Amino acid sequence: MPILVGVISGDVATSPTLARPKAVREFGTTGNAGNNYDLERRVFDILNDERSGNGLPPLRWSNEVADLARSHSQNMADYKFFSHRDTGGLTVDGRAESYGLSGWRGIGENIATLRGRSDPAVTAVETWMSSPGHRQNILGGRWSDSAVGVAVAKDGTYYFTQVFILR
């Protein structure tokens, strides 16, 4: 099976004032993420280990941020694309607003895709940590909350989205 790893530089936005979203989506229930929940939490724990190893406090897991991250990963898996922009042209800040995620002052996103790896969690984190933009998001002291969303396409390709929030 071929090995595929892709990354795009971390994306960061700030929102001094939020407009009322045009469409509000209800967030799912705590821990109800299907088969990928354990993988998402494992990636998140590895990322917090990286932060700890660099003298930084851990990020807090946010279920509503996890739902936002999952939806983007699932969108990429379903429509077979890899971008910070979704199929409607929105980036993470626009998706957050349209989903009704509020109360943030800054938002960032890391994405990764890979296939053919025995440990996708470790590979995704290693890939992010070797990229300056992604590493800066992970080790940035400005974030308070975060979560990871994972989706797996029918061909076995993994799509990872990590969203960072400053509240």
Side-chain angles (χ1 to χ4, degrees):
M1 178 179 278
I3 296 172
L4 171 68
V5 177
V7 294
I8 293 180
S9 295
D11 191 29
V12 178
T14 58
S15 179
T17 56
L18 293 176
R20 179 73 183 136
K22 294 179 183 174
V24 176
R25 178 186 166 277
E26 292 297 320
F27 287 98
T29 57
T30 305
N32 187 14
N35 296 333
N36 297 321
Y37 180 75
D38 290 340
L39 180 58
E40 292 168 348
R41 289 307 298 239
R42 183 159 180 257
V43 171
F44 186 78
D45 290 344
I46 295 169
L47 291 164
N48 268 335
D49 288 346
E50 291 286 346
R51 288 178 60 83
S52 176
N54 282 275
L56 296 166
L59 295 168
R60 291 183 306 253
W61 177 271
S62 167
N63 289 315
E64 63 183 352
V65 172
D67 285 340
L68 179 64
R70 278 184 203 113
S71 70
H72 189 54
S73 290
Q74 192 63 57
N75 192 13
M76 289 189 293
D78 288 347
Y79 294 99
K80 300 202 180 293
F81 72 96
F82 182 64
S83 175
H84 284 288
R85 291 199 179 274
D86 67 15
T87 53
L90 295 176
T91 58
V92 66
D93 56 329
R95 287 192 304 276
E97 290 178 15
S98 72
Y99 278 44
L101 181 63
S102 62
W104 54 269
R105 295 180 289 147
I107 191 166
E109 177 179 74
N110 286 345
I111 61 175
T113 185
L114 57 99
R115 186 175 60 208
R117 293 303 187 115
S118 62
D119 194 339
V122 168
T123 302
V125 173
E126 286 174 349
T127 301
W128 282 334
M129 291 302 291
S130 67
S131 163
H134 294 95
R135 182 181 178 88
Q136 182 177 354
N137 271 345
I138 293 165
L139 300 180
R142 67 184 285 191
W143 309 119
S144 57
D145 299 357
S146 184
V148 176
V150 177
V152 184
K154 291 179 183 178
D155 68 358
T157 302
Y158 287 81
Y159 292 85
F160 295 84
T161 303
Q162 181 180 23
V163 176
F164 303 87
I165 297 286
L166 171 63
R167 293 199 190 260

